[in-house]
Each structure stands twice: as C-alpha cells, then as structure tokens.
Amino acid sequence: HWIQRLIVANMQSGVLPIPPPVMSRVFQELSRGMVNINNARKISDFLLPYPYAQLTGAMLLLNTVLTPMVVGVFLKDWVSSALVSSLSIFAFACINCIAAEIECPFGA
C-alpha cells in the first residue's frame, strides 16, 4: 500500500511523468503481486495435520521395507529387482520431499 502511495505522490509532484495507461498497468501488477503473496501465506499458515504427516512417514517406511521383498518375488534377477525397488522407493521419497517444500514454501 505504501508503494502505491509513493507512486501517486511522485506522479502528482512530477517526478514520474508516465502516461496513465502505463501507470494503470503498474498498479494492476502491484495488485496481482499482493493477491499472490496472500495466497502463498494462506498455504504456509494452514499446515498439514500432524496425524496425516505421521501416517505418511509410516507408510513410506513400510514401503521401504516391503517393496524389495515383493519385487524380489516377482523378479528373479537380483540386479533388476534391486534397480526397480530402489527407483520406486526413491521416487516416493522425492514426492514426499516435494510435498514438504510445498507445505512450507518460506522455510521453517
């Protein structure tokens, strides 16, 4: 809000001799920026419920333990079994890390 007030004051004093259509676009972009930052604040203010986060961690641990066993039953070659299970576990761990970053976009 204070940036808009400074722009208007400097337009009236002649410091900013910018045509009104351009200034209208400047005010529009400032408004869009405020809307976007408020949306980001809403995301960071409402965290994921604690039981859901704990359940997700437990399911990832269960996936880490059971996936190599299940893949080992279906694939008889140990190299392909290790590769498939490692990729699967790594993919789910990456998705969990991405979700944690989305939940808290501005850090802790």
Side-chain angles (χ1 to χ4, degrees):
H1 181 71
W2 59 272
I3 294 175
Q4 289 178 348
R5 288 186 13 211
L6 282 174
I7 290 172
V8 170
N10 286 319
M11 280 176 54
Q12 291 172 349
S13 68
V15 175
L16 294 173
I18 299 172
V22 175
M23 288 310 296
S24 171
R25 182 67 180 190
V26 168
F27 289 133
Q28 181 182 7
E29 290 298 321
L30 285 172
S31 173
R32 286 180 58 205
M34 288 303 296
V35 167
N36 288 334
I37 199 157
N38 284 331
N39 287 339
R41 281 187 185 145
K42 281 190 271 186
I43 290 171
S44 67
D45 286 345
F46 298 106
L47 298 176
L48 198 63
Y50 183 74
Y52 184 77
Q54 293 302 309
L55 184 63
T56 303
M59 294 300 281
L60 279 173
L61 182 65
L62 189 66
N63 180 36
T64 303
V65 171
L66 292 180
T67 299
M69 291 185 237
V70 172
V71 171
V73 169
F74 288 112
L75 300 176
K76 299 303 178 194
D77 182 28
W78 72 271
V79 174
S80 62
S81 175
L83 183 67
V84 168
S85 63
S86 296
L87 287 176
S88 171
I89 292 168
F90 180 71
F92 281 122
C94 286
I95 291 171
N96 188 41
C97 289
I98 291 169
E101 283 298 318
I102 289 173
E103 180 186 8
C104 194
F106 302 119

